[in-house]
Amino acid sequence: MDNKIKGKIIFNNYRVKKVTFDLNPEYNQEEVKIDFDILANIEISEDKDSMVVEVILNIFKNAIENHYPFSMELIIEGIFTINPDEKDEAVDKYQANAMAILFPYIRSLVSTYTANSNVTPLILPTININKYLKKK
């Protein structure tokens, strides 16, 4: 069996670093468009064989001022191994691939957390994360 790493990066694990949920007690149940922003920080080891990608998601910032049902901040961290043959690849490609891998976990966490907070469960839309990052 061939034990070589096949992809550019290998997803090892993720961990939730922070979840903040603030309910807006003044929210009046009107329909609202989902407003969210995603930021990412990437840290590649000195020998370029591993990286940690921190994803910061903000949903409904300034809930009271903007008449949103709640505000939420979620920070997760993904741990990856970099294929030795790809060490010189552009960092933005690593970030885009890592974000694409992590986004389904983010969506799941948001849906579960909001459902368990006794608000209408929020399901983030699927997005082309590469296109989203390029726009930013």
Side-chain angles (χ1 to χ4, degrees):
M1 187 168 144
D2 187 3
N3 288 331
K4 287 184 119 180
I5 298 175
K6 300 283 186 202
K8 293 179 188 276
I9 59 173
I10 303 300
F11 177 50
N12 298 318
N13 204 356
Y14 80 96
R15 54 185 163 223
V16 178
K17 291 179 67 176
K18 178 180 180 179
V19 177
T20 304
F21 180 90
D22 294 309
L23 187 66
N24 177 0
E26 299 172 14
Y27 180 68
N28 62 4
Q29 300 296 324
E30 60 192 53
E31 192 152 326
V32 64
K33 183 181 175 204
I34 297 173
D35 180 24
F36 67 94
D37 187 34
I38 303 170
L39 303 169
N41 300 312
I42 184 170
E43 185 178 311
I44 297 180
S45 65
E46 280 187 40
D47 57 4
K48 295 185 178 181
D49 68 346
S50 65
M51 71 176 180
V52 175
V53 177
E54 180 182 74
V55 180
I56 303 163
L57 172 70
N58 284 294
I59 302 171
F60 297 138
K61 258 187 164 175
N62 303 315
I64 293 175
E65 296 87 358
N66 293 313
H67 307 291
Y68 292 144
F70 59 86
S71 62
M72 184 175 187
E73 181 182 38
L74 173 68
I75 302 175
I76 72 167
E77 186 174 75
I79 298 99
F80 298 86
T81 301
I82 300 172
N83 182 331
D85 297 332
E86 305 291 338
K87 286 185 181 183
D88 296 324
E89 190 80 22
V91 169
D92 60 334
K93 288 193 179 209
Y94 293 147
Q95 180 178 350
N97 289 343
M99 292 284 292
I101 291 167
L102 292 172
F103 196 65
Y105 294 94
I106 293 168
R107 290 182 72 232
S108 177
L109 285 163
V110 168
S111 297
T112 300
Y113 202 94
T114 55
N116 289 327
S117 297
N118 201 25
V119 298
T120 302
L122 179 64
I123 300 171
L124 292 177
T126 56
I127 61 172
N128 180 331
I129 201 71
N130 294 320
K131 190 174 181 181
Y132 180 88
L133 290 173
K134 283 179 185 174
K135 277 186 177 181
K136 290 191 72 149

